[in-house]
Amino acid sequence: MNYYLTVDFGSTYTKMCAVDADSGKVIGTAKAFTTIQTDVREGFDAALKELTAATGKLEYSKKLACSSAGGGLKMIAVGLVPELTAKAARMAASSAGAKVTGTFSYELSAREQEAIQSAAPDILLLCGGTDGGNRDVVIHNAKKIAGIEGDFSIIYAGNKSAADDAGEILRKAGKNVIVCSNVMPVFNVLDIAPAKNAIRALFIERIVEAKGLSGIQKEMTSEIIPTPLAVFEGAELLSRGCGGAEGMGGLLAVDVGGATTDVYTMYDGKPSSPNVVLKGLPEPFAKRSVEGDLGLRYNIDSLAQSASAEKIAGDLQTSEDSVREWVSICKKNPDTISQKGSLNRRIDEYLTSYAVKVAVERHCGTTETVFTPVGETVLMTGKDLTGIPAVVGIGGPVINSDDPVKILKAALYDTAAHEFLKPIAPKFFLDGTYIFASMGLVGKFDPRLALKIMKDEILEL
């Protein structure tokens, strides 16, 4: 028999899936709390014991893993113009599975230099200028970055004319530097793949060791990759299909987790109205964004502050103290689970809906009306998602909610906030078995198998 084992080391749970590759079916799943504070092996062993109890002892032909334990890889992006190279840097980071905690543009100031040092990133992505274009700003920023203390690696993906000088400045300061192709070699033309691959390589080098996964890595068939990257590749496979097998088509997936809320779109996002003019960089068909302030456990305090304890209490007809008490409990104990039907579950679901709403608004395109000599013009920035046909819910807070459809409706277009180009009339689906990440891993070896399982497991609500 040909069995695959997939493992997803999440910020809250370590999730496992056993697949019978011959029959094309999932034969067992299990999960245990991720033991990031001690040794992730403990959670791994607990999940494997539960899985083995369900499937019996199996010999796996392939063992595959991904990880976002501890909140994933923190990255700072430094570019030249916010609408151009800084945005390109963010796209490269997000698509690789990194958590972008800050973006800086133009010449870095002393205050911004201090802000980067305080943020303590794992990686800094330095870019700016088209090839042969502006090099002065990039060199200035390299000098500023050279003066920042901290154990972080630097990926240079800017003007190739400044690459040698910038690299020398940073290496003389004792920094680990990787130089790759410019993320925007020609004006308005993106090439983010080399930077994305460099980010992935650094993930394997740094995070696997930092999270205590090195021992488990030796047991895996291939390298452990970031969970968001696995989900990204699973979503793209489900959308596009493979080898003559049709995919789902355009989709938006929202993954609400303990540390972040991630949004993935597989959709061209072109303007749906002929009188709309696209502003800024064109966005890729496959896009991911990550919101580090919208996690349901590790960042629940910032999430609740944004949603307003007063408004939550009013809408749920409870006291602000009850809201704040639950938020405090979850912040101190991220593995806390609310009981079905309880007030705390209702608070969790309120915050989950809010996280979906805000994350999709930050991800989708927006419009603005401007007046020109020839009359009124509508400008669009980003992707028009109004016609997207499917919205998929991912992550424990959505899967375990009492009403996942109600939560996913927070992703819909709202006439009261018409500038956000959110989906108007999609069908709703649920990844109830956390299959996206697993099949993103399996798809690297057998894409047809992964596609079949996703079609079977991701159910319409």
Side-chain angles (χ1 to χ4, degrees):
M1 300 296 288
N2 186 16
Y3 298 115
Y4 285 17
L5 173 69
T6 68
V7 189
D8 174 10
F9 295 95
S11 57
T12 306
Y13 286 102
T14 293
K15 300 172 283 288
M16 286 188 178
C17 178
V19 173
D20 182 340
D22 294 330
S23 66
K25 294 185 181 299
V26 172
I27 56 174
T29 61
K31 66 178 180 179
F33 287 117
T34 299
T35 48
I36 190 64
Q37 300 302 327
T38 53
D39 188 329
V40 294
R41 167 69 70 176
E42 296 173 22
F44 176 90
D45 289 343
L48 184 59
K49 182 178 180 180
E50 180 183 321
L51 182 64
T52 303
T55 64
K57 188 172 178 61
L58 300 175
E59 292 295 326
Y60 293 102
S61 59
K62 290 187 171 54
K63 296 180 180 179
L64 313 169
C66 57
S67 173
S68 59
L73 197 71
K74 294 190 298 180
M75 173 173 287
I76 294 289
V78 178
L80 183 55
V81 181
E83 295 80 8
L84 298 174
T85 47
K87 185 174 181 180
R90 181 177 286 273
M91 286 183 188
S94 294
S95 65
K99 173 183 175 182
V100 182
T101 57
T103 302
F104 298 86
S105 305
Y106 306 119
E107 292 188 348
L108 289 173
S109 66
R111 180 176 295 180
E112 290 172 327
Q113 190 181 31
E114 292 173 3
I116 293 172
Q117 183 162 310
S118 298
D122 296 300
I123 297 175
L124 188 146
L125 179 59
L126 172 61
C127 56
T130 55
D131 286 343
N134 184 301
R135 68 190 305 277
D136 294 339
V137 173
V138 182
I139 296 299
H140 168 91
N141 288 343
K143 291 176 180 177
K144 285 290 186 182
I145 293 165
I148 297 174
E149 297 178 1
D151 180 23
F152 60 91
S153 296
I154 299 161
I155 296 173
Y156 179 87
N159 181 356
K160 69 176 183 180
S161 300
D164 291 342
D165 290 342
E168 184 178 0
I169 290 166
L170 293 166
R171 291 190 184 98
K172 281 184 177 179
K175 304 297 184 185
N176 177 39
V177 183
I178 297 172
V179 176
C180 60
S181 301
N182 195 345
V183 293
M184 195 173 72
V186 180
F187 182 75
N188 257 15
V189 176
L190 297 181
D191 181 19
I192 64 175
K196 176 180 174 179
N197 292 335
I199 294 164
R200 174 178 169 173
L202 282 176
F203 170 88
I204 295 164
E205 178 185 324
R206 291 175 61 90
I207 297 303
V208 167
E209 293 296 329
K211 307 307 178 187
L213 298 174
S214 56
I216 292 172
Q217 173 66 89
K218 295 174 183 177
E219 302 172 26
M220 297 295 112
T221 304
S222 60
E223 293 170 325
I224 297 173
I225 67 171
T227 298
L229 178 58
V231 175
F232 186 95
E233 294 182 345
E236 188 168 14
L237 175 60
L238 179 61
S239 170
R240 294 184 187 272
C242 66
E246 290 188 4
M248 181 183 284
L251 65 86
L252 179 151
V254 188
D255 187 355
V256 185
T260 67
T261 293
D262 296 5
V263 181
Y264 304 80
T265 48
M266 305 296 150
Y267 196 62
D268 61 26
K270 295 177 181 177
S272 55
S273 300
N275 62 332
V276 173
V277 177
L278 186 62
K279 173 186 175 183
L281 283 176
E283 297 204 348
F285 174 88
K287 174 186 174 182
R288 169 189 176 241
S289 59
V290 55
E291 307 304 336
D293 59 335
L294 301 179
L296 261 290
R297 286 297 178 263
Y298 290 93
N299 303 306
I300 192 172
D301 50 346
S302 63
L303 175 60
Q305 182 178 2
S306 177
S308 170
E310 180 181 3
K311 189 171 190 316
I312 297 169
D315 290 347
L316 297 182
Q317 297 183 327
T318 187
S319 67
E320 291 182 45
D321 286 344
S322 296
V323 175
R324 293 194 176 98
E325 181 181 0
W326 178 243
V327 169
S328 177
I329 290 170
C330 294
K331 181 68 177 177
K332 292 176 183 176
N333 303 284
D335 57 354
T336 301
I337 300 174
S338 56
Q339 297 299 311
K340 186 177 179 67
S342 67
L343 171 61
N344 293 336
R345 174 62 62 88
R346 290 167 58 212
I347 296 171
D348 271 346
E349 294 191 346
Y350 188 104
L351 291 172
T352 303
S353 291
Y354 183 82
V356 169
K357 174 183 180 295
V358 175
V360 174
E361 286 178 352
R362 292 177 183 175
H363 180 96
C364 73
T366 58
T367 59
E368 60 178 316
T369 301
V370 298
F371 295 92
T372 69
V374 296
E376 186 176 284
T377 300
V378 178
L379 300 180
M380 183 185 95
T381 303
K383 297 170 79 171
D384 183 347
L385 305 181
T386 54
I388 211 161
V391 171
V392 186
I394 312 173
V398 181
I399 294 168
N400 299 319
S401 70
D402 295 336
D403 190 352
V405 170
K406 181 179 178 182
I407 287 173
L408 292 177
K409 283 183 176 179
L412 296 182
Y413 180 82
D414 182 358
T415 54
H418 58 83
E419 68 272 22
F420 296 110
L421 299 173
K422 296 160 72 175
I424 291 177
K427 294 180 179 178
F428 293 115
F429 296 81
L430 190 67
D431 178 12
T433 53
Y434 301 94
I435 208 69
F436 262 119
S438 294
M439 294 306 106
L441 294 168
V442 172
K444 286 295 185 183
F445 294 89
D446 192 337
R448 290 183 68 89
L449 170 64
L451 179 61
K452 176 190 180 301
I453 291 174
M454 282 191 286
K455 287 181 175 180
D456 290 342
E457 294 288 328
I458 297 173
L459 303 177
E460 185 175 352
L461 298 172

